[in-house]
């Protein structure tokens, strides 16, 4: 399977240019074509399209988009085939260096050199990057053998090498959990996964399938406080933390290992959004977007992990179709004006995307909770809509569908999103 | 003296002192070799320091280190003009936080004036606040010294080394000197013979610039007259967001053992705070510690209250090589031809050009003839920095060589052509590539470029990927799935070796005929 295609000829002008060909970029391309954009260019800096999916060789994708469970590369393949069928120009091994607010896109690639194309609309779909050691300040030596879990995943799954022979994993994000299992399958000893918080930060299914099923210990409320090894990592010091997450050094212990994988979170890779002048949301780390996924810079849309870190590629694909649709509509002159009813994160809600919606069209509102609620939970959109779910955890993104009819009687300009324990009375029904 | 086949000068240690000396020697008709223990030059303390070219006022001129501080500062301007590395004369403010510190400022000012340091001015609080509004309100007086500068020490060392090589110096890495033969009774005036695990070299003159291990090297030569202990300094780099917090180097009043914790605007525009000064038994101990961080931030906040531990983006430590005399150990020894450049503690970076000039005089006094080359090329050939070029220049480069359109590091926008150039200039490790090109120094800290750099290093150096390291030694990055990775055999026969195993100078290099 090779997900590359050289554009026959890079045109000098496109209706829509999409930066990044992960699930977000590919779905945005399809959305734009569906909306009638004739010339669409999809650019990715990797040699193949697919984004992070290419290194996710485990099953767990497609349950929503295709009603079956497939691997990341298979998921990417299905979208890529549609992209090619739809006559989208694809430039892989191409890096978008800059997007000027007028829609001029500067890019470089060995096949086209350093050049520019004009875009009627741009969709930013650059994905997310991993947080690194610098973000958490672990004192000690600076040996080789300390790397992010995602880099290790690439080294193992795409390049065919191992990051080491005896590994400790810091952080229980999904990538770390999945890598714990992968490494064991590759014959690497995984000593344990250490998590600062009192609950895992990855999906429950990954805790069960990747750790429990392989007898890999998960140490909650515990963190790495020292890194030792002059050339190669030799040992880490770990310590439990108190309620304020301060390490209790008196209870610290050493763990021999030659590899420390960091799975301590993703951050939207939103540099281009920032440089083009889009307003950023400090809660997500990504740009502020409207109901059509347009940033505050007219003509620049965004979708996927660059807006907020998603747990499922399926959600990314859905959201990105909306962005592609919006970009296509703008480029073809078919855009309808949007309202800006603001969505505010309320009780136990960490962030909400999109940041504004219109009452004249359907929206899917995504958000994450701050704290787990291990029982019936009410997801509430001010007093216009509510939905009851079995439980919520920060690891799992939650969505609310907002149909135009729900907003018929609403005349305000702010809606609040809460996620609160359901008291069994009036909150029985699930109106969605 | 006639013709001899020994190398004229072998320098032990490729830190800033060793390579600066080698470059100065490269202007003469001499056969010069630098032997460096590590995988690359400059991986010792020369890359792990504050990067300050001191103004010249700090050192007592009665000491060697104090006397060479100001001429060293002047020497850096010359080096900068020749080689064009990042160097900014940002100036320093020596500040007093209390009345009882005023005499210290007076003493240092007088000392600076005696040494001829120009531009010294006393600033009143109002002037201080105008120039540095983020300084603590507690600052009651300051001495302004405009001659202080900041460099990228590693970039400077590399360009100096590159230029030395361009002018005929040989730099051999992964060559720790492990023994020096005793003088040959049959030929007491003959060359010194140095041994590394894989080579033996004959040299008419040896300069010991082995940093923390210079005492051991001196002992190997039979002149172990001093010992060196380590004094560790931790440094903390703050987020780029804070660029401009201070625009000059801020010094507190010094104590007996250290210049104190400084707040430095680095050449790259980040703010650095540090160093600590902590004696260490382990000369290779470059760990950062919670205690070190606490100490640095407590001190830094007294100078600039807005500084916070939360803004740290990188941290490192370096170890100063402190001789028991507490001064530089510079000059000839009882062993004929063996010359020390040892105990180069702070301000060794600043003093390096003056140390080199001084050593050349010593070598000359010891009988080394200095005949200037007519074709010495003092200017450096600069690596291209694609990221800072205009779009037109970028397009032009890419049209000439598509590798300039092949992205390798996305945070710092480094292209394949730049990585290849770094490797061609001697980068052998990931750190070597990183410090030469900045690939891997950005926000994603190598998440994106590590694999590409590994591939390029392996390909250009003819190594398996598993043999590529972070910084030499056992710092491997990846291993094989089969786990059967064998280290390559490094003991291939070196060229130009005689039957006795002693390497001689390349034939045809004219020794200076006395
Ligand atoms: C380890 C791991 C396991 C996962 N497991 C699952 C799972 O089991 N099930 C599931 O549904 N989801 C899973 N996900 C989540 C899902 O893969 C992501 O949410 C999804 O890939 C995000 O899509 P994206 O298109 O926003 O970003 P990405 O997939 O990251 O794609 C972004 C693309 O943009 C390119 N790019 C960035 N900047 C530029 C530029 N300037 N110029 C050109 N190209 C650029 C990048 O090269 C990349 O290809 C997992 C994610 C990870 C990391
Ligand atoms: C935290 C800190 C901050 C500092 N800040 C400043 C500053 O701002 N300004 C300033 O002027 N100075 C500063 N200094 C001091 C300055 O960094 C040093 O004085 C200077 O770098 C010393 O250079 P060097 O070449 O002697 O040592 P090194 O760079 O250590 O070079 C010695 C080399 O010898 C090699 N070597 C050792 N043994 C052998 C052997 N047996 N065979 C072959 N090679 C060998 C080593 O590998 C090493 O590369 C600072 C020092 C520290 C620790």
């Amino acid at each position: 399977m090779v997900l590359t295609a050289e554009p026959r000829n890079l045109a000098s002008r496109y209706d829509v240019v999409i930066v990044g060909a992960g699930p977000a970029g590919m779905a945005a391309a399809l959305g734009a074509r569906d909306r009638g954009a004739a010339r669409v260019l999809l650019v990715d800096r990797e040699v193949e399209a697919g984004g992070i999916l290419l290194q996710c060789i485990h099953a767990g994708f497609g349950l929503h988009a295709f009603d079956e469970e497939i691997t990341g590369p298979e998921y990417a393949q299905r979208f890529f085939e549609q992209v090619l069928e739809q006559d989208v120009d694809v430039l892989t091994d191409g890096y978008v260096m800059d997007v000027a607010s007028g829609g001029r896109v500067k890019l470089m690639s060995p096949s086209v050199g350093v050049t520019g194309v004009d875009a009627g609309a741009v969709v930013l779909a650059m994905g997310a990057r991993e947080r690194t050691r610098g973000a958490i300040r672990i004192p000690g030596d600076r040996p080789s053998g300390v790397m992010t879990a995602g880099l290790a995943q690439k080294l193992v799954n795409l390049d065919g090498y191992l990051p080491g022979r005896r590994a400790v994993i810091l952080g229980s994000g999904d990538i770390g959990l999945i890598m714990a299992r992968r490494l064991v399958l590759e014959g690497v000893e995984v000593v344990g996964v250490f998590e600062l918080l009192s609950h895992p930060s990855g999906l429950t299914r990954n805790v069960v399938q990747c750790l429990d099923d392989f007898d890999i210990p998960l140490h909650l409320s515990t963190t790495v406080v020292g890194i030792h090894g002059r050339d190669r990592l030799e040992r880490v010091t770990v310590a439990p933390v108190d309620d304020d997450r301060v390490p209790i050094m008196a209870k610290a212990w050493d763990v021999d290992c030659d590899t420390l994988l960091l799975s301590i979170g993703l951050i939207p890779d939103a540099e281009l959004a920032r440089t083009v002048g889009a307003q950023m949301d400090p809660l997500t780390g990504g740009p502020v977007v409207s109901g059509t996924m347009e940033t505050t810079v007219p003509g620049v849309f965004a979708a996927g992990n660059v807006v907020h870190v998603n747990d499922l590629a399926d959600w990314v694909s859905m959201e990105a179709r909306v962005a592609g649709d919006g970009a296509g509509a703008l480029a073809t002159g078919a855009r309808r004006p949007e309202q800006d009813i603001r969505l505010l994160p309320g009780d136990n809600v960490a962030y909400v995307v999109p940041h504004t919606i219109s009452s004249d069209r359907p929206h899917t509102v995504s958000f994450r909770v701050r704290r787990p609620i291990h029982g019936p939970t009410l997801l509430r959109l001010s007093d216009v809509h509510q939905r009851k779910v079995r439980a919520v955890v920060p690891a799992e993104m939650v969505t609310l569908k907002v149909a135009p009819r729900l907003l018929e009687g609403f005349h305000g300009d702010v809606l609040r999103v809460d996620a609160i324990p359901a008291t069994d009375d009036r909150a029985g029904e699930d109106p969605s | 003296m006639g013709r001899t086949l020994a190398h004229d000068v072998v320098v032990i240690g490729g830190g800033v002192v060793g390579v600066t000396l080698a470059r100065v020697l490269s202007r003469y008709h001499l056969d010069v070799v630098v032997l460096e223990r590590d995988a690359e030059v400059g991986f010792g303390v020369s890359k792990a320091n504050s990067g300050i070219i001191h103004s010249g006022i700090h050192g007592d001129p009665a000491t060697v280190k104090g006397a060479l501080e100001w001429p060293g500062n002047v020497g850096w301007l010359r080096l900068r003009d020749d080689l064009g590395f990042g160097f900014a004369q940002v100036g320093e403010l020596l500040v007093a936080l209390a009345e009882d510190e005023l005499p210290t400022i007076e003493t240092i000012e007088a000392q600076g004036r005696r040494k001829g340091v120009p531009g010294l001015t006393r600033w009143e609080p109002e002037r201080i606040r105008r120039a540095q509004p983020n300084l603590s309100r507690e600052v009651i007086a300051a001495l302004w010294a405009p001659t202080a500068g900041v460099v990228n020490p590693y970039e400077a060392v590399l360009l100096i080394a590159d230029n030395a090589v361009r002018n005929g110096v040989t730099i051999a890495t992964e060559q720790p000197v492990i023994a020096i033969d005793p003088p040959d009774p049959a030929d007491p005036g003959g060359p010194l013979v140095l041994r590394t695990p894989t080579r033996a070299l004959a040299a008419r003159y040896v300069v010991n610039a082995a940093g923390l291990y210079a005492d051991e090297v001196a002992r190997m030569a039979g002149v172990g007259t001093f010992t060196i202990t380590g004094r560790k300094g931790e440094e903390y780099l703050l987020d780029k967001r804070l660029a401009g917090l201070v625009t000059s180097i801020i010094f507190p009043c010094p104590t007996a053992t250290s210049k104190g914790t400084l707040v430095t605007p680095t050449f790259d525009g980040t703010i650095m705070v540090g160093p600590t000064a902590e004696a260490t038994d382990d000369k290779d101990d470059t760990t950062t510690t919670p205690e070190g961080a606490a100490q640095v931030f407590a001190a830094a906040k007294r100078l600039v209250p807005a500084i916070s531990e939360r803004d740290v983006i990188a941290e490192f430590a370096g170890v100063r090589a402190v001789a028991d005399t507490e001064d530089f150990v510079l000059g000839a020894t009882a062993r004929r031809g063996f010359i020390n450049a040892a105990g180069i503690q702070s301000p060794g970076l600043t003093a390096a050009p003056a140390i080199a000039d001084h050593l050349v005089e010593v070598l000359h006094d010891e009988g080394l003839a200095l005949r200037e080359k007519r074709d010495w090329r003092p200017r450096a050939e600069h690596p291209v920095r694609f990221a800072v070029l205009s779009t037109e220049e970028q397009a032009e480069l890419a049209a000439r060589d598509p590798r300039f359109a092949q992205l390798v590091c996305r945070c710092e926008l480094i292209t394949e052509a730049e990585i290849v150039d770094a490797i061609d200039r001697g980068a052998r490790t990931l750190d070597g590539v990183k410090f030469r090109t900045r690939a891997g120094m950005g926000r994603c800290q190598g998440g994106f470029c590590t694999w590409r750099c590994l591939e390029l290093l392996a390909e250009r150096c003819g190594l398996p990927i598993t043999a590529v390291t972070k910084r030499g030694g056992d710092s491997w990055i990846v291993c094989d799935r089969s786990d059967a990775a064998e280290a390559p055999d490094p003991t291939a026969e070196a060229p130009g070796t005689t039957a006795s195993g002693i390497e001689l100078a390349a034939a045809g290099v004219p020794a200076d005929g006395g």
Side-chain angles (χ1 to χ4, degrees), chain A residues 78-89:
Chain A
R78 290 192 187 186
F79 271 90
F80 194 65
E81 278 164 7
Q82 294 179 50
V83 162
L84 292 186
E85 267 165 33
Q86 287 294 319
D87 273 333
V88 171
D89 274 359

Side-chain angles (χ1 to χ4, degrees), chain A residues 45-46 93 106 109-110 137 140-142 144 156 159-162 165 186 230-232 269 271, chain B residues 282 286-288 315 391 394 406 410 443 448 451-452 470-471 474-476 478-481 483:
Chain A
R45 63 187 178 204
E46 299 287 345
D93 217 354
K106 177 177 169 189
S109 164
R137 283 215 50 227
D141 289 307
R142 288 162 303 283
S144 69
V156 175
D159 304 319
Y161 289 89
L162 297 179
R165 303 186 179 99
E186 293 285 348
R230 199 136 286 166
D231 287 349
R232 179 74 194 189
D269 214 343
E271 258 353 272
Chain B
D282 177 355
T286 54
T287 55
T288 51
E315 53 200 80
T391 301
Q394 289 173 338
Q406 179 74 59
R410 59 91 194 267
R443 291 180 299 276
F448 183 73
W451 175 253
R452 280 153 234 257
K470 177 169 158 62
R471 56 162 164 268
D474 197 30
S475 63
W476 52 278
V478 295
C479 57
D480 273 330
R481 276 210 158 98
D483 217 6

